[in-house]
Amino acid sequence: MSSTTPNSDRAAAAPLRYARWWTGLGLLALAAGVGVALRPGGGLLLVTLGDKLNHALAITVFTAWFGGVVAPGRMWRVALLLLGYGIAIEGAQALTPYRQAEFLDVGADASGILLGWGMSAAGLRHWCRWLEAWLVAPRSP
């Protein structure tokens, strides 16, 4: 790299300093999502437009989160794992007496995966690097 390369380009090329932390926090968020999806009395409605929009919104956030952690060439793995996550939640809901599985929820999850992947490809995948650059930036006295 030349000395004229902007700091943001150098940060994008450097490996993540806290990749394990970002991955761990993402996995904790996924676990919390399972808890919300399986709790009695319905899920936590983030918006009042319905269950499907909440599915899509949550999976969009998860996809964008992990899009910041994994290499762009591995996003297809993230997409498959998140689709499996959505299917597993529907299967678990079918086993509860107070929740029901819905095929359309998986469709909403797939829509969220596509949206989150698109956001990552459009540049949001650098969110971890931007945050790390800010966290470790030298502070002036």
Side-chain angles (χ1 to χ4, degrees):
M1 275 185 218
S2 70
S3 61
T4 59
T5 304
N7 286 337
S8 62
D9 288 343
R10 277 188 230 131
L16 289 173
R17 184 176 194 159
Y18 304 109
R20 289 185 180 178
W21 285 97
W22 301 127
T23 301
L25 288 172
L27 294 174
L28 283 174
L30 288 172
V34 171
V36 168
L38 296 179
R39 68 180 218 154
L44 176 67
L45 293 178
L46 301 175
V47 295
T48 58
L49 297 176
D51 178 54
K52 306 305 175 261
L53 188 56
N54 286 314
H55 273 265
L57 179 63
I59 295 293
T60 298
V61 170
F62 293 148
T63 305
W65 180 276
F66 287 106
V69 179
V70 303
R74 294 183 179 209
M75 275 303 290
W76 66 273
R77 291 180 183 172
V78 169
L80 287 177
L81 288 170
L82 287 175
L83 187 60
Y85 170 84
I87 292 168
I89 285 177
E90 293 307 309
Q93 286 179 339
L95 299 174
T96 67
Y98 47 84
R99 301 299 300 265
Q100 65 184 28
E102 293 185 43
F103 180 72
L104 291 177
D105 288 347
V106 176
D109 294 340
S111 297
I113 290 167
L114 291 174
L115 181 59
W117 196 344
M119 292 167 56
S120 292
L124 190 59
R125 72 175 169 268
H126 300 296
W127 74 265
C128 277
R129 288 173 184 15
W130 297 330
L131 190 55
E132 285 188 358
W134 177 77
L135 287 172
V136 297
R139 304 281 188 237
S140 58

